[in-house]
Amino acid sequence: MAGLSCRVTVALLGALLLGAARLPRGTDASEIVLPPGSSITVLIKQGTPDLPAKPCYIVVSRRHLTVLFIKAGEKVVVTFTCQNPEKHFVLEIQKNIDCVSSSCPLGEIQLQPSISALPTLNRTFTWDVKGSKSMGLELQFSAPRLRQIGPGESCEDGVTHSISGHINTALVRIGTFCRNGTVSRIKMQEGVKVALHLPWFYHRNSSGFSIANHSSIKRLCVIESEFEGEGSATLMSANYPEGFPEDELMTWQFIVPAHLRASVSFLSFNVSNCEKKEERVEYYIPGSTTNPEVFKLEDKQPGNMAGNFNLSLQGCDQDAQSPGILRLQFQVLVQHPQNESNKTYVVDLSQERTMSLTIEPRPVKQSRKFVPGCFVCLESRTCSSNVTLTAGSKHKLSFLCDDLTRLWVNAEKTISCVDYRYCHRKTYPLQVPSDILQLPVQLHDFSWKLLVPKDRLSLVLVPAQKLQQHTHERACNTSFSYLVTSSAPSHDLYFGAFCPGGSVEQIQLKQNSSVTLRTFAPSFQQEASRQGLTVSFIPYFKEEGIFTVTPDTTSKVYLRTPNWDRGLPALSSVSWNISVPSDQVACLTFFKERTGVVCQSGRAFMIIQEQRSRAEAIFSLEEEVLPQPSFHRHNFWVNISNCSPASGKQLDLLFWVTLTPRTTDLPVVIIAVVGGGALLLFALGLIIYLVKKKKKKMNKGPAVGIYNGNINTHMPGQPKKFQKGRKDNESHVYAVIDDTMVYGHLLQDSNGSFLRPEVDTYRPFQGPMGDFPPSPPPICSRAPTAKLTTEEPPSCIPSESESEPYTFSHPNKGDTSNRDTDIPLLDTQEPVEPAE
């Protein structure tokens, strides 16, 4: 019986223990005791999480509450109805300390009540210390020191210190701080309020700071930042990002080891509208004979400073109607002195008028590891992470940087033409000045902005060495390239990247353009002699750009339309003038069969024109297949004109040109010679037969079409072609008789004199094409190919064929049978292209 009773007791005890284990943690009771006269209050209130599915309450003496306020001298036992109350409630403990009517509790500040006696909630301890206006209070922070954070930032461990000061009845926020920084002390005037936020899972019983009485500091506050080695600190003015209090003074004291150097750079700032005084920063620098050194906020700040120094921010009396905002965020970088800080470089821009130069950090990935800063110093004292040098002055530079490859140089120069009469045919070199090349920092970009009068002049770029266009098929592998862009009101046109060692002899640009020399490797310093480009102002033309290309006999020449990634702009036209050496044959090949462009309005065309024969092949880029590889023995044009393409259907073309030596086949030459001779003999026989036949007809009737022998047609210095007299040969008889000769009597005027029609000879153009590319065909043209000339505008009406006969008519005024002439028989055949 006793054994059975023992087993029942054990079972009941186990059930009770199991039930206790299964009870929610929130039901654990916390006894909060606040001693009388401690000036401590405790507030438990709801936080701001999402509303739970089941509400949670504070339980005190069987009452369910959502807010609990405990005053000094009270004792309260607190539980919660939910398992995780830290998700629903926060705990605020505030202690008021009066240092005016009673003595201050100096020394280290302890947490009261103890953490172990408080519920497991997110806790905020606040100490509000009241002092007199002539009294200074000092907060000392033990290691690890504090690091100031800006709006929106948070601390990794969730532990933060928020510090504010008093100005009369107003509260001024000094800043929010995390642990592991450089701030070791903060001195306040009149009073201070410190709030320590601890997350619910963080357990500690010390506040991490102590309070000491201090003499008056006669300013809003003093923040001491102490460096033990290399590092950086980012600090902000009071009330940041809101405005700094009006006409106040705030100071930062920096303690720097003697073997290190400090530099200050302003990250961001704003100035207010001052009615009296002036906003400024003041430095007290060891060894300076001009302390305090005064700077404006927009000035470059001191760098390469040895030893401790102070920085103060002074406000002003603001305009009551429009006060504005004074705020400052800055960084102090402490590092070992650099070797470059003792070298001075001179950049002389005194003769320049439109040039500027900027030295700045190149973009890098952010790292938590400390990275020494790179600063550029003017006159060895005013240092900044980026410096802009303006035209008209001579500048002396030094560098405070452990690795100068982390900096680069960007420069810009403007070349403009205001009076087109003065600029016409003017040439300007596009060269990087030697002062920039001698800097120990890599040049990234040097841009020339080229401005021309609208519709008056255009531009031509001529390189010292022929250029290669960068494409995926043949990429530039040089240390620099030229990026060519033109600008128009409706669009910017990127012509591409070009590097030395290609086939492009010149680039003509219609309008305002920009040429940027961009480097890709430090080796540019050694290859700088290869850079050389000149720009000239030439007569205006209407195409967006014209490329002059002389292909290399040893490799392909890849060319592509501008705006490769976005497509050629609407209603724009670009041409390539491609030269072919006399002993070579050029093969033109396109990368794809179709362009894929879809026109919303207008037509997209490509014209391929032989410059010698002037034969044009016209292709509709919207409808037709691009031509198969074609061979050209003479210089030729490639012109591409865009329509207004539909959205998402852009025009971009890639093509290439290759050269191969010309070959002559001996049997072909023999056949051509024999065939040509036979054809010539047949033509002469036919002409003689026709002349004799016409002569017989003329003898039967009146003379028609007889040449007027009264005119002396003998050309000086020309030997006679015909030794017989005119009456003994038939050279004066025309092979073709026009109707105006037969009906010449109808051309008589009222006085009986003859009206003389114009006399001319058709002479097809046999010379070079010239500098002008082919014009696009008319919109109504639908044929894939056509014969056009640049001397006659294209028309939708078919023109006369070149094979049609040209006739001449001269009224007869007398007997010409006894006259001689030295003019040979007129040949009505088309000219034959000279043999290759």
Side-chain angles (χ1 to χ4, degrees), residues 329-344:
Q329 182 185 38
F330 66 97
Q331 183 185 63
V332 176
L333 184 68
V334 174
Q335 59 188 7
H336 290 285
Q338 309 302 317
N339 295 330
E340 286 292 337
S341 61
N342 297 325
K343 298 180 182 179
T344 301

Side-chain angles (χ1 to χ4, degrees), residues 649-675:
K649 302 294 183 180
Q650 303 299 333
L651 174 59
D652 52 73
L653 278 178
L654 171 68
F655 58 94
W656 60 87
V657 179
T658 54
L659 295 180
T660 55
R662 290 193 185 186
T663 57
T664 305
D665 194 354
L666 184 58
V668 173
V669 173
I670 294 174
I671 294 173
V673 171
V674 173

Side-chain angles (χ1 to χ4, degrees), residues 299-318:
D299 292 339
K300 298 298 182 183
Q301 304 303 310
N304 200 25
M305 295 178 286
N308 305 337
F309 69 97
N310 293 355
L311 166 61
S312 298
L313 173 64
Q314 175 66 65
C316 66
D317 292 334
Q318 298 173 349

